Amino acid sequence: QDKNGMLSEMEFEDRCKELGISSDAKRLYKWLCSPGSKGIVLADVDPKAAQALARGDHDMLLSLPGIIPKCQMTFFERQQLHGRQRWEKIFQRDREGEQQERQLLLQKDMSAKN
């Protein structure tokens, strides 16, 4: 919120709530935060993205699978790449991946019981 490039614990918890992350945000914050740091920075979570941002590569996320070049997109598709929409897609993909992992673990657990 203060645009300082660092998420305090309170800011992190607020963002988690906004994104619908229902896990223990405080524990997740402590896990992601570097020891002795006053907050989470991009380099703590994604060092390559931090390097891309530092060199001014603002299209760093366009290398994600399934993203086509802007010149081949409609106006609406380009609008979906901006800020919040871009991050929502990324987090949705992560949540879907977590759900698939949970289902696989549950299947393995069920087969081990049989």
Side-chain angles (χ1 to χ4, degrees):
Q1 229 168 12
D2 54 14
K3 310 264 185 207
N4 67 353
M6 181 182 297
L7 282 175
S8 68
E9 188 171 353
M10 187 182 335
E11 289 173 322
F12 183 78
E13 289 177 29
D14 290 344
R15 297 295 98 49
C16 286
K17 286 178 188 174
E18 287 176 12
L19 293 169
I21 298 172
S22 59
S23 61
D24 186 357
K26 286 185 182 196
R27 193 168 69 184
L28 181 58
Y29 175 84
K30 290 178 181 172
W31 184 73
L32 290 172
C33 194
S34 295
S37 177
K38 295 182 180 182
I40 298 173
V41 295
L42 183 57
D44 292 335
V45 180
D46 189 342
K48 287 184 180 181
Q51 291 171 354
L53 185 61
R55 68 177 177 264
D57 183 3
H58 299 288
D59 288 329
M60 62 192 164
L61 296 177
L62 292 179
S63 63
L64 295 172
I67 301 289
I68 59 174
K70 287 182 181 180
C71 63
Q72 296 176 3
M73 294 180 182
T74 66
F75 174 78
F76 179 74
E77 290 169 332
R78 288 191 306 273
Q79 294 302 305
Q80 294 299 310
L81 292 177
H82 289 279
R84 184 175 179 178
Q85 292 85 359
R86 183 184 284 186
W87 285 108
E88 285 176 356
K89 285 181 182 179
I90 291 169
F91 284 117
Q92 177 63 34
R93 188 184 67 214
D94 289 345
R95 282 192 293 262
E96 289 171 357
E98 289 172 2
Q99 288 174 346
Q100 289 174 353
E101 286 179 36
R102 274 189 241 122
Q103 287 176 348
L104 286 173
L105 290 173
L106 183 60
Q107 288 173 354
K108 287 179 182 179
D109 187 44
M110 294 300 282
S111 65
K113 289 180 182 179
N114 294 331

mmCIF file of all heavy atoms in Angstrom, residues 18-67:
data_model
loop_
_atom_site.group_PDB
_atom_site.id
_atom_site.type_symbol
_atom_site.label_atom_id
_atom_site.label_comp_id
_atom_site.label_asym_id
_atom_site.label_seq_id
_atom_site.Cartn_x
_atom_site.Cartn_y
_atom_site.Cartn_z
ATOM 1 N N GLU A 18 -7.424 -10.330 0.683
ATOM 2 C CA GLU A 18 -7.972 -9.849 -0.589
ATOM 3 C C GLU A 18 -7.930 -10.929 -1.666
ATOM 4 O O GLU A 18 -8.810 -11.003 -2.512
ATOM 5 C CB GLU A 18 -7.189 -8.628 -1.078
ATOM 6 C CG GLU A 18 -7.472 -7.375 -0.297
ATOM 7 C CD GLU A 18 -6.604 -6.204 -0.748
ATOM 8 O OE1 GLU A 18 -5.942 -6.306 -1.810
ATOM 9 O OE2 GLU A 18 -6.579 -5.193 -0.031
ATOM 10 N N LEU A 19 -6.892 -11.750 -1.646
ATOM 11 C CA LEU A 19 -6.732 -12.801 -2.657
ATOM 12 C C LEU A 19 -7.466 -14.090 -2.298
ATOM 13 O O LEU A 19 -7.451 -15.046 -3.056
ATOM 14 C CB LEU A 19 -5.240 -13.092 -2.873
ATOM 15 C CG LEU A 19 -4.453 -11.951 -3.500
ATOM 16 C CD1 LEU A 19 -2.956 -12.222 -3.415
ATOM 17 C CD2 LEU A 19 -4.868 -11.731 -4.935
ATOM 18 N N GLY A 20 -8.077 -14.113 -1.124
ATOM 19 C CA GLY A 20 -8.822 -15.300 -0.721
ATOM 20 C C GLY A 20 -7.958 -16.427 -0.212
ATOM 21 O O GLY A 20 -8.373 -17.576 -0.207
ATOM 22 N N ILE A 21 -6.742 -16.120 0.209
ATOM 23 C CA ILE A 21 -5.859 -17.143 0.763
ATOM 24 C C ILE A 21 -6.265 -17.365 2.204
ATOM 25 O O ILE A 21 -6.169 -16.465 3.044
ATOM 26 C CB ILE A 21 -4.380 -16.720 0.659
ATOM 27 C CG1 ILE A 21 -4.005 -16.557 -0.815
ATOM 28 C CG2 ILE A 21 -3.476 -17.729 1.348
ATOM 29 C CD1 ILE A 21 -2.645 -15.972 -1.045
ATOM 30 N N SER A 22 -6.735 -18.555 2.484
ATOM 31 C CA SER A 22 -7.313 -18.818 3.799
ATOM 32 C C SER A 22 -6.342 -19.473 4.771
ATOM 33 O O SER A 22 -6.701 -19.745 5.904
ATOM 34 C CB SER A 22 -8.558 -19.701 3.640
ATOM 35 O OG SER A 22 -8.197 -20.908 3.024
ATOM 36 N N SER A 23 -5.127 -19.712 4.333
ATOM 37 C CA SER A 23 -4.169 -20.361 5.234
ATOM 38 C C SER A 23 -3.674 -19.360 6.279
ATOM 39 O O SER A 23 -4.022 -18.187 6.250
ATOM 40 C CB SER A 23 -2.999 -20.930 4.441
ATOM 41 O OG SER A 23 -2.323 -19.887 3.776
ATOM 42 N N ASP A 24 -2.867 -19.821 7.199
ATOM 43 C CA ASP A 24 -2.336 -18.995 8.274
ATOM 44 C C ASP A 24 -1.342 -17.979 7.709
ATOM 45 O O ASP A 24 -0.178 -18.299 7.468
ATOM 46 C CB ASP A 24 -1.668 -19.892 9.318
ATOM 47 C CG ASP A 24 -1.223 -19.131 10.545
ATOM 48 O OD1 ASP A 24 -1.368 -17.892 10.587
ATOM 49 O OD2 ASP A 24 -0.728 -19.780 11.484
ATOM 50 N N ALA A 25 -1.796 -16.748 7.494
ATOM 51 C CA ALA A 25 -0.977 -15.724 6.843
ATOM 52 C C ALA A 25 0.241 -15.356 7.681
ATOM 53 O O ALA A 25 1.312 -15.092 7.133
ATOM 54 C CB ALA A 25 -1.818 -14.486 6.549
ATOM 55 N N LYS A 26 0.104 -15.332 8.994
ATOM 56 C CA LYS A 26 1.249 -14.971 9.841
ATOM 57 C C LYS A 26 2.375 -15.993 9.713
ATOM 58 O O LYS A 26 3.547 -15.636 9.600
ATOM 59 C CB LYS A 26 0.824 -14.866 11.310
ATOM 60 C CG LYS A 26 0.034 -13.629 11.617
ATOM 61 C CD LYS A 26 -0.264 -13.509 13.081
ATOM 62 C CE LYS A 26 -1.103 -12.266 13.304
ATOM 63 N NZ LYS A 26 -1.147 -11.857 14.688
ATOM 64 N N ARG A 27 2.013 -17.250 9.713
ATOM 65 C CA ARG A 27 3.024 -18.299 9.584
ATOM 66 C C ARG A 27 3.662 -18.266 8.198
ATOM 67 O O ARG A 27 4.872 -18.401 8.056
ATOM 68 C CB ARG A 27 2.395 -19.663 9.859
ATOM 69 C CG ARG A 27 3.438 -20.752 10.040
ATOM 70 C CD ARG A 27 2.853 -22.001 10.582
ATOM 71 N NE ARG A 27 1.994 -22.614 9.557
ATOM 72 C CZ ARG A 27 1.267 -23.686 9.739
ATOM 73 N NH1 ARG A 27 1.249 -24.271 10.914
ATOM 74 N NH2 ARG A 27 0.538 -24.181 8.782
ATOM 75 N N LEU A 28 2.845 -18.049 7.169
ATOM 76 C CA LEU A 28 3.353 -17.946 5.808
ATOM 77 C C LEU A 28 4.294 -16.749 5.685
ATOM 78 O O LEU A 28 5.353 -16.845 5.060
ATOM 79 C CB LEU A 28 2.197 -17.817 4.818
ATOM 80 C CG LEU A 28 2.532 -17.732 3.342
ATOM 81 C CD1 LEU A 28 3.317 -18.956 2.890
ATOM 82 C CD2 LEU A 28 1.254 -17.583 2.527
ATOM 83 N N TYR A 29 3.934 -15.620 6.300
ATOM 84 C CA TYR A 29 4.783 -14.422 6.280
ATOM 85 C C TYR A 29 6.150 -14.725 6.885
ATOM 86 O O TYR A 29 7.184 -14.403 6.297
ATOM 87 C CB TYR A 29 4.104 -13.287 7.047
ATOM 88 C CG TYR A 29 4.961 -12.062 7.179
ATOM 89 C CD1 TYR A 29 5.008 -11.114 6.167
ATOM 90 C CD2 TYR A 29 5.741 -11.842 8.308
ATOM 91 C CE1 TYR A 29 5.800 -9.991 6.272
ATOM 92 C CE2 TYR A 29 6.536 -10.726 8.432
ATOM 93 C CZ TYR A 29 6.558 -9.801 7.408
ATOM 94 O OH TYR A 29 7.361 -8.695 7.525
ATOM 95 N N LYS A 30 6.162 -15.353 8.031
ATOM 96 C CA LYS A 30 7.429 -15.662 8.700
ATOM 97 C C LYS A 30 8.267 -16.636 7.883
ATOM 98 O O LYS A 30 9.488 -16.563 7.881
ATOM 99 C CB LYS A 30 7.174 -16.198 10.103
ATOM 100 C CG LYS A 30 6.666 -15.122 11.031
ATOM 101 C CD LYS A 30 6.360 -15.624 12.409
ATOM 102 C CE LYS A 30 5.841 -14.454 13.233
ATOM 103 N NZ LYS A 30 5.343 -14.822 14.509
ATOM 104 N N TRP A 31 7.607 -17.531 7.168
ATOM 105 C CA TRP A 31 8.311 -18.492 6.334
ATOM 106 C C TRP A 31 8.961 -17.802 5.133
ATOM 107 O O TRP A 31 10.071 -18.138 4.737
ATOM 108 C CB TRP A 31 7.338 -19.572 5.889
ATOM 109 C CG TRP A 31 7.965 -20.670 5.111
ATOM 110 C CD1 TRP A 31 8.785 -21.665 5.588
ATOM 111 C CD2 TRP A 31 7.844 -20.913 3.706
ATOM 112 N NE1 TRP A 31 9.157 -22.501 4.567
ATOM 113 C CE2 TRP A 31 8.604 -22.055 3.394
ATOM 114 C CE3 TRP A 31 7.155 -20.267 2.691
ATOM 115 C CZ2 TRP A 31 8.689 -22.564 2.117
ATOM 116 C CZ3 TRP A 31 7.246 -20.774 1.409
ATOM 117 C CH2 TRP A 31 8.011 -21.913 1.132
ATOM 118 N N LEU A 32 8.281 -16.812 4.540
ATOM 119 C CA LEU A 32 8.778 -16.128 3.352
ATOM 120 C C LEU A 32 9.786 -15.028 3.663
ATOM 121 O O LEU A 32 10.653 -14.729 2.853
ATOM 122 C CB LEU A 32 7.611 -15.514 2.575
ATOM 123 C CG LEU A 32 6.670 -16.488 1.884
ATOM 124 C CD1 LEU A 32 5.463 -15.752 1.333
ATOM 125 C CD2 LEU A 32 7.382 -17.234 0.779
ATOM 126 N N CYS A 33 9.672 -14.421 4.821
ATOM 127 C CA CYS A 33 10.502 -13.268 5.185
ATOM 128 C C CYS A 33 11.933 -13.714 5.507
ATOM 129 O O CYS A 33 12.149 -14.685 6.229
ATOM 130 C CB CYS A 33 9.883 -12.561 6.375
ATOM 131 S SG CYS A 33 10.556 -10.936 6.679
ATOM 132 N N SER A 34 12.912 -12.996 4.977
ATOM 133 C CA SER A 34 14.313 -13.307 5.270
ATOM 134 C C SER A 34 14.618 -13.006 6.733
ATOM 135 O O SER A 34 14.093 -12.035 7.289
ATOM 136 C CB SER A 34 15.237 -12.456 4.394
ATOM 137 O OG SER A 34 15.079 -12.785 3.050
ATOM 138 N N PRO A 35 15.473 -13.804 7.369
ATOM 139 C CA PRO A 35 15.823 -13.565 8.775
ATOM 140 C C PRO A 35 16.392 -12.154 8.974
ATOM 141 O O PRO A 35 17.241 -11.715 8.213
ATOM 142 C CB PRO A 35 16.881 -14.629 9.079
ATOM 143 C CG PRO A 35 16.660 -15.684 8.052
ATOM 144 C CD PRO A 35 16.145 -14.984 6.833
ATOM 145 N N GLY A 36 15.884 -11.452 9.963
ATOM 146 C CA GLY A 36 16.355 -10.111 10.279
ATOM 147 C C GLY A 36 15.746 -9.010 9.420
ATOM 148 O O GLY A 36 16.018 -7.842 9.623
ATOM 149 N N SER A 37 14.920 -9.385 8.452
ATOM 150 C CA SER A 37 14.307 -8.406 7.558
ATOM 151 C C SER A 37 13.075 -7.789 8.206
ATOM 152 O O SER A 37 12.440 -8.389 9.061
ATOM 153 C CB SER A 37 13.909 -9.084 6.251
ATOM 154 O OG SER A 37 13.245 -8.182 5.403
ATOM 155 N N LYS A 38 12.728 -6.591 7.774
ATOM 156 C CA LYS A 38 11.543 -5.910 8.299
ATOM 157 C C LYS A 38 10.322 -6.162 7.430
ATOM 158 O O LYS A 38 9.257 -5.627 7.700
ATOM 159 C CB LYS A 38 11.806 -4.414 8.396
ATOM 160 C CG LYS A 38 12.876 -4.076 9.405
ATOM 161 C CD LYS A 38 13.085 -2.595 9.504
ATOM 162 C CE LYS A 38 14.178 -2.306 10.529
ATOM 163 N NZ LYS A 38 14.404 -0.882 10.705
ATOM 164 N N GLY A 39 10.472 -6.967 6.388
ATOM 165 C CA GLY A 39 9.352 -7.267 5.519
ATOM 166 C C GLY A 39 9.766 -8.157 4.368
ATOM 167 O O GLY A 39 10.938 -8.481 4.192
ATOM 168 N N ILE A 40 8.776 -8.541 3.577
ATOM 169 C CA ILE A 40 9.010 -9.391 2.417
ATOM 170 C C ILE A 40 9.234 -8.503 1.201
ATOM 171 O O ILE A 40 8.455 -7.592 0.941
ATOM 172 C CB ILE A 40 7.809 -10.316 2.160
ATOM 173 C CG1 ILE A 40 7.593 -11.261 3.344
ATOM 174 C CG2 ILE A 40 8.010 -11.122 0.879
ATOM 175 C CD1 ILE A 40 6.331 -12.081 3.234
ATOM 176 N N VAL A 41 10.298 -8.793 0.476
ATOM 177 C CA VAL A 41 10.558 -8.109 -0.786
ATOM 178 C C VAL A 41 10.468 -9.130 -1.906
ATOM 179 O O VAL A 41 10.500 -10.338 -1.663
ATOM 180 C CB VAL A 41 11.942 -7.402 -0.778
ATOM 181 C CG1 VAL A 41 11.978 -6.284 0.249
ATOM 182 C CG2 VAL A 41 13.054 -8.395 -0.526
ATOM 183 N N LEU A 42 10.360 -8.644 -3.135
ATOM 184 C CA LEU A 42 10.201 -9.541 -4.277
ATOM 185 C C LEU A 42 11.326 -10.566 -4.362
ATOM 186 O O LEU A 42 11.092 -11.727 -4.671
ATOM 187 C CB LEU A 42 10.117 -8.724 -5.575
ATOM 188 C CG LEU A 42 9.885 -9.501 -6.860
ATOM 189 C CD1 LEU A 42 8.595 -10.331 -6.782
ATOM 190 C CD2 LEU A 42 9.835 -8.548 -8.039
ATOM 191 N N ALA A 43 12.539 -10.156 -4.023
ATOM 192 C CA ALA A 43 13.684 -11.073 -4.097
ATOM 193 C C ALA A 43 13.537 -12.255 -3.140
ATOM 194 O O ALA A 43 14.077 -13.325 -3.395
ATOM 195 C CB ALA A 43 14.978 -10.322 -3.807
ATOM 196 N N ASP A 44 12.795 -12.081 -2.041
ATOM 197 C CA ASP A 44 12.552 -13.187 -1.107
ATOM 198 C C ASP A 44 11.690 -14.266 -1.753
ATOM 199 O O ASP A 44 11.838 -15.445 -1.455
ATOM 200 C CB ASP A 44 11.836 -12.696 0.152
ATOM 201 C CG ASP A 44 12.684 -11.794 1.022
ATOM 202 O OD1 ASP A 44 13.922 -11.901 0.959
ATOM 203 O OD2 ASP A 44 12.108 -10.979 1.765
ATOM 204 N N VAL A 45 10.786 -13.849 -2.615
ATOM 205 C CA VAL A 45 9.807 -14.763 -3.195
ATOM 206 C C VAL A 45 10.223 -15.245 -4.587
ATOM 207 O O VAL A 45 10.083 -16.413 -4.915
ATOM 208 C CB VAL A 45 8.419 -14.084 -3.272
ATOM 209 C CG1 VAL A 45 7.371 -14.998 -3.858
ATOM 210 C CG2 VAL A 45 7.994 -13.598 -1.903
ATOM 211 N N ASP A 46 10.752 -14.324 -5.398
ATOM 212 C CA ASP A 46 11.107 -14.655 -6.776
ATOM 213 C C ASP A 46 12.330 -13.836 -7.200
ATOM 214 O O ASP A 46 12.184 -12.747 -7.753
ATOM 215 C CB ASP A 46 9.921 -14.374 -7.698
ATOM 216 C CG ASP A 46 10.116 -14.899 -9.112
ATOM 217 O OD1 ASP A 46 11.268 -15.182 -9.501
ATOM 218 O OD2 ASP A 46 9.108 -15.030 -9.835
ATOM 219 N N PRO A 47 13.540 -14.356 -6.946
ATOM 220 C CA PRO A 47 14.755 -13.605 -7.276
ATOM 221 C C PRO A 47 14.863 -13.218 -8.754
ATOM 222 O O PRO A 47 15.324 -12.124 -9.074
ATOM 223 C CB PRO A 47 15.885 -14.555 -6.882
ATOM 224 C CG PRO A 47 15.283 -15.489 -5.897
ATOM 225 C CD PRO A 47 13.847 -15.624 -6.290
ATOM 226 N N LYS A 48 14.426 -14.091 -9.657
ATOM 227 C CA LYS A 48 14.509 -13.775 -11.088
ATOM 228 C C LYS A 48 13.589 -12.608 -11.442
ATOM 229 O O LYS A 48 13.953 -11.745 -12.246
ATOM 230 C CB LYS A 48 14.159 -15.001 -11.930
ATOM 231 C CG LYS A 48 15.235 -16.052 -11.933
ATOM 232 C CD LYS A 48 14.880 -17.190 -12.865
ATOM 233 C CE LYS A 48 15.993 -18.233 -12.843
ATOM 234 N NZ LYS A 48 15.701 -19.343 -13.761
ATOM 235 N N ALA A 49 12.404 -12.580 -10.859
ATOM 236 C CA ALA A 49 11.485 -11.462 -11.112
ATOM 237 C C ALA A 49 12.056 -10.164 -10.548
ATOM 238 O O ALA A 49 11.919 -9.105 -11.160
ATOM 239 C CB ALA A 49 10.120 -11.750 -10.499
ATOM 240 N N ALA A 50 12.717 -10.240 -9.396
ATOM 241 C CA ALA A 50 13.340 -9.050 -8.800
ATOM 242 C C ALA A 50 14.436 -8.515 -9.709
ATOM 243 O O ALA A 50 14.561 -7.303 -9.903
ATOM 244 C CB ALA A 50 13.885 -9.375 -7.417
ATOM 245 N N GLN A 51 15.229 -9.410 -10.288
ATOM 246 C CA GLN A 51 16.283 -8.988 -11.216
ATOM 247 C C GLN A 51 15.683 -8.355 -12.465
ATOM 248 O O GLN A 51 16.174 -7.336 -12.956
ATOM 249 C CB GLN A 51 17.159 -10.179 -11.602
ATOM 250 C CG GLN A 51 18.014 -10.695 -10.471
ATOM 251 C CD GLN A 51 18.713 -12.006 -10.824
ATOM 252 O OE1 GLN A 51 18.472 -12.597 -11.875
ATOM 253 N NE2 GLN A 51 19.586 -12.452 -9.937
ATOM 254 N N ALA A 52 14.610 -8.945 -12.982
ATOM 255 C CA ALA A 52 13.955 -8.401 -14.169
ATOM 256 C C ALA A 52 13.388 -7.014 -13.882
ATOM 257 O O ALA A 52 13.512 -6.101 -14.698
ATOM 258 C CB ALA A 52 12.844 -9.342 -14.639
ATOM 259 N N LEU A 53 12.786 -6.844 -12.722
ATOM 260 C CA LEU A 53 12.230 -5.551 -12.339
ATOM 261 C C LEU A 53 13.339 -4.510 -12.185
ATOM 262 O O LEU A 53 13.202 -3.370 -12.636
ATOM 263 C CB LEU A 53 11.440 -5.681 -11.032
ATOM 264 C CG LEU A 53 10.711 -4.444 -10.562
ATOM 265 C CD1 LEU A 53 9.665 -4.006 -11.585
ATOM 266 C CD2 LEU A 53 10.050 -4.700 -9.222
ATOM 267 N N ALA A 54 14.458 -4.908 -11.599
ATOM 268 C CA ALA A 54 15.580 -3.993 -11.398
ATOM 269 C C ALA A 54 16.158 -3.509 -12.730
ATOM 270 O O ALA A 54 16.609 -2.367 -12.830
ATOM 271 C CB ALA A 54 16.665 -4.666 -10.573
ATOM 272 N N ARG A 55 16.110 -4.346 -13.754
ATOM 273 C CA ARG A 55 16.651 -3.924 -15.043
ATOM 274 C C ARG A 55 15.575 -3.277 -15.918
ATOM 275 O O ARG A 55 15.827 -2.944 -17.075
ATOM 276 C CB ARG A 55 17.327 -5.090 -15.754
ATOM 277 C CG ARG A 55 16.446 -6.185 -16.233
ATOM 278 C CD ARG A 55 17.224 -7.266 -17.006
ATOM 279 N NE ARG A 55 16.340 -8.325 -17.386
ATOM 280 C CZ ARG A 55 16.165 -9.448 -16.724
ATOM 281 N NH1 ARG A 55 16.854 -9.681 -15.633
ATOM 282 N NH2 ARG A 55 15.304 -10.355 -17.136
ATOM 283 N N GLY A 56 14.365 -3.113 -15.375
ATOM 284 C CA GLY A 56 13.301 -2.425 -16.110
ATOM 285 C C GLY A 56 12.489 -3.304 -17.024
ATOM 286 O O GLY A 56 11.765 -2.811 -17.882
ATOM 287 N N ASP A 57 12.566 -4.606 -16.855
ATOM 288 C CA ASP A 57 11.815 -5.547 -17.684
ATOM 289 C C ASP A 57 10.422 -5.728 -17.089
ATOM 290 O O ASP A 57 10.150 -6.666 -16.354
ATOM 291 C CB ASP A 57 12.553 -6.891 -17.745
ATOM 292 C CG ASP A 57 11.865 -7.901 -18.640
ATOM 293 O OD1 ASP A 57 10.840 -7.563 -19.264
ATOM 294 O OD2 ASP A 57 12.353 -9.043 -18.704
ATOM 295 N N HIS A 58 9.530 -4.800 -17.413
ATOM 296 C CA HIS A 58 8.191 -4.818 -16.831
ATOM 297 C C HIS A 58 7.273 -5.855 -17.466
ATOM 298 O O HIS A 58 6.181 -6.097 -16.992
ATOM 299 C CB HIS A 58 7.567 -3.426 -16.909
ATOM 300 C CG HIS A 58 8.354 -2.413 -16.153
ATOM 301 N ND1 HIS A 58 8.394 -2.382 -14.778
ATOM 302 C CD2 HIS A 58 9.185 -1.437 -16.573
ATOM 303 C CE1 HIS A 58 9.192 -1.418 -14.383
ATOM 304 N NE2 HIS A 58 9.690 -0.822 -15.443
ATOM 305 N N ASP A 59 7.725 -6.464 -18.545
ATOM 306 C CA ASP A 59 6.954 -7.535 -19.171
ATOM 307 C C ASP A 59 7.477 -8.899 -18.746
ATOM 308 O O ASP A 59 7.261 -9.896 -19.409
ATOM 309 C CB ASP A 59 7.004 -7.420 -20.700
ATOM 310 C CG ASP A 59 6.182 -6.245 -21.193
ATOM 311 O OD1 ASP A 59 5.178 -5.908 -20.536
ATOM 312 O OD2 ASP A 59 6.540 -5.682 -22.232
ATOM 313 N N MET A 60 8.141 -8.952 -17.602
ATOM 314 C CA MET A 60 8.782 -10.178 -17.138
ATOM 315 C C MET A 60 7.800 -11.333 -16.996
ATOM 316 O O MET A 60 8.175 -12.480 -17.156
ATOM 317 C CB MET A 60 9.493 -9.939 -15.815
ATOM 318 C CG MET A 60 8.584 -9.527 -14.693
ATOM 319 S SD MET A 60 9.523 -8.948 -13.307
ATOM 320 C CE MET A 60 8.227 -8.120 -12.399
ATOM 321 N N LEU A 61 6.557 -11.047 -16.712
ATOM 322 C CA LEU A 61 5.588 -12.117 -16.509
ATOM 323 C C LEU A 61 5.002 -12.627 -17.817
ATOM 324 O O LEU A 61 4.283 -13.612 -17.836
ATOM 325 C CB LEU A 61 4.456 -11.641 -15.588
ATOM 326 C CG LEU A 61 4.898 -11.287 -14.176
ATOM 327 C CD1 LEU A 61 3.716 -10.761 -13.377
ATOM 328 C CD2 LEU A 61 5.495 -12.480 -13.485
ATOM 329 N N LEU A 62 5.315 -11.967 -18.918
ATOM 330 C CA LEU A 62 4.777 -12.403 -20.203
ATOM 331 C C LEU A 62 5.404 -13.685 -20.698
ATOM 332 O O LEU A 62 4.948 -14.272 -21.662
ATOM 333 C CB LEU A 62 4.938 -11.304 -21.249
ATOM 334 C CG LEU A 62 4.077 -10.071 -21.010
ATOM 335 C CD1 LEU A 62 4.338 -9.054 -22.094
ATOM 336 C CD2 LEU A 62 2.609 -10.423 -20.954
ATOM 337 N N SER A 63 6.450 -14.137 -20.038
ATOM 338 C CA SER A 63 7.076 -15.392 -20.447
ATOM 339 C C SER A 63 6.352 -16.605 -19.872
ATOM 340 O O SER A 63 6.785 -17.719 -20.060
ATOM 341 C CB SER A 63 8.541 -15.410 -20.005
ATOM 342 O OG SER A 63 8.621 -15.354 -18.597
ATOM 343 N N LEU A 64 5.237 -16.376 -19.198
ATOM 344 C CA LEU A 64 4.469 -17.485 -18.640
ATOM 345 C C LEU A 64 3.838 -18.308 -19.754
ATOM 346 O O LEU A 64 3.451 -17.773 -20.791
ATOM 347 C CB LEU A 64 3.351 -16.963 -17.731
ATOM 348 C CG LEU A 64 3.808 -16.244 -16.473
ATOM 349 C CD1 LEU A 64 2.614 -15.616 -15.777
ATOM 350 C CD2 LEU A 64 4.511 -17.200 -15.544
ATOM 351 N N PRO A 65 3.718 -19.625 -19.541
ATOM 352 C CA PRO A 65 3.084 -20.472 -20.558
ATOM 353 C C PRO A 65 1.648 -20.022 -20.818
ATOM 354 O O PRO A 65 0.935 -19.632 -19.905
ATOM 355 C CB PRO A 65 3.089 -21.864 -19.916
ATOM 356 C CG PRO A 65 4.015 -21.789 -18.774
ATOM 357 C CD PRO A 65 4.141 -20.355 -18.377
ATOM 358 N N GLY A 66 1.241 -20.048 -22.062
ATOM 359 C CA GLY A 66 -0.131 -19.697 -22.402
ATOM 360 C C GLY A 66 -0.328 -18.231 -22.728
ATOM 361 O O GLY A 66 -1.403 -17.835 -23.160
ATOM 362 N N ILE A 67 0.684 -17.402 -22.541
ATOM 363 C CA ILE A 67 0.564 -15.981 -22.856
ATOM 364 C C ILE A 67 1.079 -15.772 -24.282
ATOM 365 O O ILE A 67 2.191 -16.157 -24.618
ATOM 366 C CB ILE A 67 1.378 -15.111 -21.876
ATOM 367 C CG1 ILE A 67 0.921 -15.333 -20.434
ATOM 368 C CG2 ILE A 67 1.299 -13.656 -22.261
ATOM 369 C CD1 ILE A 67 -0.432 -14.775 -20.098
#
